[in-house]
Amino acid sequence: MRVVIAEDSVLLREGLVRLLEEADHTVVATVGDGPSLVEAVLAHKPDVSVVDVRMPPTHTDEGLRAAIEVRRQLPGAPVLVLSQYVEESYATDLVADRVGAVGYLLKDRVVDVDEFLDGLARVAAGGTVLDSDVVSQLLVARRDPLSTLTPREREVLALMAEGRTNTAICQRLVVSEGAVEKHIGNIFAKLGLAQSESDHRRVMAVLTYLRP
């Protein structure tokens, strides 16, 4: 198979290249950000792309957004997403077109080389591959949109609900402002709050937190 890899970690990216080449696949491009993924897929039209959820600049959901954009511009383009945890809203968006040829695996599955390569082959063949943990968390998330938040992210959201600024949250939790911004970005991503001109994501996140 001809494969495009989108992963900003050089170590993991090179590991994936070696793994795929040892399995007699050809890596036609490696990229480290979302826009480059879209360009590479449109240029090379690979049999499948392997995409990390988190990529620059914010390391939240750029990979998933890029994967969705790839399939918008090239419907049915096979994409296998790797993630440290489940991004419920975008995982749902990824499979929403019902075209197939998509996969969503947690990164620790790559350790099982046979399972990873089998999933990759099934996605390339037009199948849908979802990690068992992904399925279970998606089902939970449908019942409780806050269930995917980490304890720290819940703390940050609770302080946001109190009307505290980022600076005040930094002081309360004794963390850097960059760390708070990263947590807030994760909260927006996990609650499916895409950036828009009409809705204030901070307000929408708080409303979700306060909703009974």
Side-chain angles (χ1 to χ4, degrees):
M1 294 186 294
R2 298 170 65 255
V3 185
V4 165
I5 297 174
E7 167 62 63
D8 69 300
S9 167
V10 175
L11 186 61
L12 183 53
R13 186 168 66 230
E14 292 306 311
L16 286 170
V17 169
R18 181 174 178 179
L19 185 156
L20 291 169
E21 289 180 343
E22 287 180 351
D24 294 327
H25 301 309
T26 301
V27 177
V28 295
T30 60
V31 300
D33 60 75
S36 296
L37 167 65
V38 177
E39 292 176 5
V41 172
L42 293 180
H44 295 282
K45 294 183 173 56
D47 297 308
V48 63
S49 299
V50 180
V51 183
D52 181 23
V53 167
R54 293 185 171 190
M55 287 196 288
T58 67
H59 294 279
T60 53
D61 60 1
E62 282 83 359
L64 270 174
R65 288 179 179 274
I68 292 169
E69 178 61 19
V70 162
R71 288 171 63 84
R72 186 187 71 79
Q73 294 195 37
L74 195 63
V79 174
L80 175 62
V81 170
L82 300 178
S83 177
Q84 293 284 8
Y85 62 91
V86 179
E87 295 277 4
E88 184 270 335
S89 60
Y90 291 110
T92 302
D93 287 345
L94 191 63
V95 299
D97 58 16
R98 300 180 183 275
V99 175
V102 293
Y104 200 120
L105 296 178
L106 298 184
K107 279 189 173 180
D108 58 8
R109 300 300 185 221
V110 179
V111 177
D112 187 332
V113 175
D114 290 337
E115 181 178 350
F116 169 68
L117 292 176
D118 176 66
L120 192 67
R122 283 189 282 154
V123 170
T128 298
V129 177
L130 294 178
D131 192 290
S132 58
D133 288 349
V134 171
V135 173
S136 62
Q137 289 188 49
L138 285 175
L139 291 174
V140 170
R142 285 172 184 255
R143 295 192 293 271
D144 178 12
L146 301 178
S147 65
T148 57
L149 300 185
T150 65
R152 177 63 90 183
E153 288 163 359
R154 284 175 176 267
E155 282 185 274
V156 171
L157 183 52
L159 292 171
M160 289 166 60
E162 293 177 11
R164 298 179 186 270
T165 64
N166 286 11
T167 301
I169 294 173
C170 293
Q171 295 170 348
R172 179 67 176 270
L173 299 180
V174 194
V175 296
S176 69
E177 188 158 353
V180 169
E181 291 174 353
K182 184 175 181 179
H183 287 313
I184 292 174
N186 288 342
I187 290 167
F188 291 157
K190 291 181 180 181
L191 296 183
L193 299 174
Q195 196 164 10
S196 70
E197 296 180 359
S198 57
D199 297 325
H200 194 302
R201 292 193 292 175
R202 199 178 185 98
V203 173
M204 299 298 290
V206 168
L207 288 175
T208 300
Y209 176 75
L210 298 175
R211 189 176 297 139

